[in-house]
Amino acid sequence: MHITRYTDYSLRVLIYLAVQGDELATIQEIADSYDISKNHLMKVVHQLNKKGYIETVRGKKGGMRLHMAPTDINVGILVRETEQDLNIVECLSSKNACRITPVCGLKSMFGEALTAFLETLDKYTLADVIQDQHRPQLLRLLQIA
């Protein structure tokens, strides 16, 4: 299973904001922290705002912060909402054109694996990702003052 860069960046933005706390952060700060493109993050931040994960504040001293508690952000749900295509093989897709699907065991195997993958992620929240005991190290690694 492989998640897209979009989902990866969505998780990184939320991790940064969770570690930051109530302080506002900018897209540029997050991009610099992870050494990734600001342009890549702009779409991610826009969608996280639309989905209610973050709130944005406009203006000279604007920025963004989490709109909900880290304990309320489920990793499995976030992955489902940010991944456009979780069909890891064609036969799981509604556009399946594989001729052997009716007699092939791969569809059920990969379906079971995908279900297990998502069920595992469903057990965790953003709070589990940032764990309080690791907060000082995260602040240092992300270069958050």
Side-chain angles (χ1 to χ4, degrees), residues 5-22:
R5 182 178 294 165
Y6 182 86
T7 298
D8 179 23
Y9 287 0
S10 295
L11 288 163
R12 290 191 206 196
V13 167
L14 294 177
I15 289 167
Y16 187 98
L17 296 176
V19 171
Q20 177 95 355
D22 286 334

Side-chain angles (χ1 to χ4, degrees), residues 59-142:
K60 186 176 179 179
K61 295 189 181 192
M64 69 191 111
R65 64 179 151 238
L66 288 181
H67 189 246
M68 55 180 73
T71 53
D72 294 334
I73 299 175
N74 182 278
V75 176
I77 292 171
L78 178 78
V79 167
R80 285 179 186 86
E81 289 181 350
T82 55
E83 283 295 312
Q84 290 184 359
D85 184 6
L86 285 170
N87 298 316
I88 51 181
V89 288
E90 181 183 340
C91 54
L92 292 176
S93 167
S94 62
K95 298 175 184 171
N96 179 25
C98 180
R99 293 179 178 179
I100 65 170
T101 299
V103 294
C104 179
L106 285 179
K107 182 176 181 176
S108 64
M109 289 177 207
F110 278 103
E112 183 180 340
L114 178 60
T115 298
F117 175 76
L118 293 170
E119 284 176 352
T120 298
L121 295 179
D122 285 340
K123 296 177 188 177
Y124 298 100
T125 67
L126 185 59
D128 297 315
V129 175
I130 64 167
Q131 300 176 24
D132 286 339
Q133 72 266 27
H134 297 301
R135 191 168 190 275
Q137 292 97 328
L138 286 167
L139 285 166
R140 183 176 47 77
L141 291 169
L142 293 172

Side-chain angles (χ1 to χ4, degrees), residues 6-67:
Y6 182 86
T7 298
D8 179 23
Y9 287 0
S10 295
L11 288 163
R12 290 191 206 196
V13 167
L14 294 177
I15 289 167
Y16 187 98
L17 296 176
V19 171
Q20 177 95 355
D22 286 334
E23 298 292 320
L24 292 174
T26 66
I27 293 174
Q28 188 64 60
E29 290 168 351
I30 297 170
D32 291 345
S33 236
Y34 288 115
D35 195 25
I36 56 180
S37 166
K38 177 183 174 186
N39 291 338
H40 282 99
L41 288 184
M42 291 177 75
K43 182 178 177 185
V44 168
V45 166
H46 177 72
Q47 289 301 313
L48 290 173
N49 183 45
K50 278 181 64 174
K51 293 180 185 299
Y53 286 105
I54 64 173
E55 63 178 327
T56 57
V57 177
R58 295 192 182 270
K60 186 176 179 179
K61 295 189 181 192
M64 69 191 111
R65 64 179 151 238
L66 288 181
H67 189 246

